[in-house]
Amino acid sequence: MSALNILDCTFRDGGYYNSWDFSPTLIQSYLEAMKAAQVDIVELGFRFIKNAGFKGACAFTTDAFVRTLSIPEGLTVGVMLNGADLLTDIGLVPSLEKLFPETTATTPVQLVRFACHYHEFERVLPAVGWLSDRGYRVGFNLMQISDRTQEEIRNYARKALDWPVEVLYFADSMGGMTPDDVSRVIEWIRTEWEGPIGVHTHDNMGLALQNTLCAQAEGANWLDATVTGMGRGPGNARIEELAIEAEAIRGRKANLVPLLTLIRKYFRPLKELYGWGSNPYYYLSGKYGIHPTYVQEMLGDARYNEEDILAVIERLREEGGKKFSTDRLSNARNFYAAAPHGTWAPARLIAGREVLILGTGPGVAAHRPALEAYIRRAKPLVLALNTQSAIDPELIDLRAACHPVRLMADVEAHTLLPQPLITPASMLPDNLKAALAGKELLDFGLGVEPGIFTFHDTHCVAPTSLVLAYALAVAVSGKATRILMAGFDGYPAGDPRNDEINGFLSLYTQDAQQAKIVSISPTSYKALPSISIYGI
Ligand SMILES: C[C@H](O)CC(=O)C(=O)O
């Protein structure tokens, strides 16, 4: 069997977290740590052809940039190229000429790896010949391998034989493979390809290292990893662990001290900041073949709470989410994109009355005696959000809920709570409708459209699917005389959910025709007028 090649691609795959902007000091310490840990190859970044928005040096990894580094003797330097970047109107050869102005007679870069989807690889393969003629060693990497059939994988290996490909890689880009899947892929490649095989894994299901080692046991001898696993989504196999395994495979000791120091000084703080590493959301994305960037984006955006993330994953699972798109993510978050419809008109219960909406913030429990006294005295119609139960249940008339995952999580509680539940019943998924069978539902429809807040007899259109907007719409549709709110304390300063809530509250309050809203318990929402429960 040919020698083992350990390839670290931290800056290339980890750059998805920090726009490939690593400090020169970090990069230099990294190079020394890699050498000491007996890593053979460092892939220092991508060579992107497009230059839009700021990205750091490791997005372009130019010859000039690599020359600013002191590369330890014996460490091979590589870069990665997205195959798709060669398939534009510019043309394959002009793109290559732009990206690789030097031959290996002068550049410090020796290895180029291509990252390709199946539908691209045949058109990209000729680039291997072009680079090889200029002295480069070339690896070819097929992404999203778990979606490919045996025949496709064999075709990939067969076609690669026509070009001077040094190593044929496969990537478990979605991180959903098991060691059995890895063995099967290698077996299929081997029916056509006798040369070196490489593996690049992702850790969605916590199997990245295990899959890498399984590939090695099955004959792959180019193994990828990254420092602390820093890489897209949950990240990759961790180099610090692979280096330990490599010591045993090669029967020679490595010096891990510089790598462990590098982790303590630089990578642990970065991991705290960006939060890669497997978690249940990535696990689900791996299990259902959903592109990890969906989860990475949602985890980095405080507008998505646990329910939202689970709901989006479920939606992408049903509708497909192999390719990341920002539009698709916002659509998946919007459970109420369809034309809104309902059958219940809130005016039947609400017209001419004051409504008190009870949120889930701590202000309700904190001011419970005053709130209860007011309800007994002034007799507003009391509408509680979700399962809010901080006051005497006898004093709550109705409940409102509209988030499908929150509803599913609360089904049991709702079936035990005595109040009718206002919800877009006829728009809910079938499994949820079935779970709520037997509960008295008041079917008020909800449509979500940015910048719109309109109120109709049996439905509304709101700028967000937050239950607060929905409950407010119910009260307005019902022609409430005044809307009091309690338990809308607000999120900590800097939390973007405050902006989302302030945004739709301002949209509402700009319209002088609408019923007045006022918070009667403490609130930090700037767009919500506020008075005290103790003075009314
Ligand atoms: C082919 C590359 O390794 C790209 C990548 O990270 C992937 O998972 O796909």
Side-chain angles (χ1 to χ4, degrees), residues 324-394:
F324 177 75
S325 117
T326 318
D327 284 350
R328 185 132 205 199
L329 177 56
S330 10
N331 288 342
R333 187 183 183 227
N334 184 357
F335 320 106
Y336 297 106
H341 53 92
T343 54
W344 176 72
R348 284 182 221 153
L349 284 180
I350 297 177
R353 293 184 68 182
E354 182 178 69
V355 170
L356 169 59
I357 301 178
L358 293 181
T360 46
V364 175
H367 303 284
R368 173 181 176 156
L371 286 167
E372 289 183 344
Y374 180 77
I375 296 167
R376 289 196 172 97
R377 185 171 78 246
K379 306 210 169 4
L381 182 132
V382 180
L383 172 51
L385 304 191
N386 296 320
T387 54
Q388 156 64 265
S389 296
I391 66 163
D392 181 349
E394 301 265 298

Side-chain angles (χ1 to χ4, degrees), residues 12-13 80 113 115 141 143 171-173 200 202 224 232:
R12 200 270 303 163
D13 214 334
M80 180 168 267
R113 294 199 304 168
N141 197 334
M143 298 189 281
D172 177 20
S173 311
H200 176 90
H202 279 267
D224 282 17
R232 179 150 64 180

Side-chain angles (χ1 to χ4, degrees), residues 253-297:
K253 285 298 278 176
N255 172 10
L256 297 181
V257 174
L259 174 55
L260 298 178
T261 310
L262 180 86
I263 292 173
R264 174 174 52 76
K265 277 173 76 173
Y266 298 106
F267 283 88
R268 209 174 290 147
L270 279 175
K271 191 169 180 198
E272 295 261 300
L273 181 65
Y274 294 112
W276 63 86
S278 55
N279 62 40
Y281 306 118
Y282 283 125
Y283 188 91
L284 286 169
S285 74
K287 195 168 164 63
Y288 301 142
I290 294 167
H291 199 286
T293 303
Y294 284 107
V295 174
Q296 186 176 327
E297 287 288 310

Side-chain angles (χ1 to χ4, degrees), residues 9 12-13 16 43 46 80 82 113-117 141-144 169-174 200-202 224 232 236:
C9 49
R12 200 270 303 163
D13 214 334
Y16 285 101
E43 185 170 71
F46 272 112
M80 180 168 267
N82 275 324
R113 294 199 304 168
F114 284 100
C116 266
H117 292 102
N141 197 334
L142 188 63
M143 298 189 281
Q144 305 196 350
Y169 258 90
F170 63 95
D172 177 20
S173 311
M174 306 296 204
H200 176 90
T201 57
H202 279 267
D224 282 17
R232 179 150 64 180
N236 313 98

Side-chain angles (χ1 to χ4, degrees), residues 31 120 125 138 157 162 174 205 210 213 227-228 267 447 474:
L31 289 168
E120 297 156 349
L125 273 172
V138 188
D162 296 337
M174 306 296 204
M205 301 177 76
Q210 211 178 320
L213 294 175
V227 179
T228 63
F267 283 88
V474 167

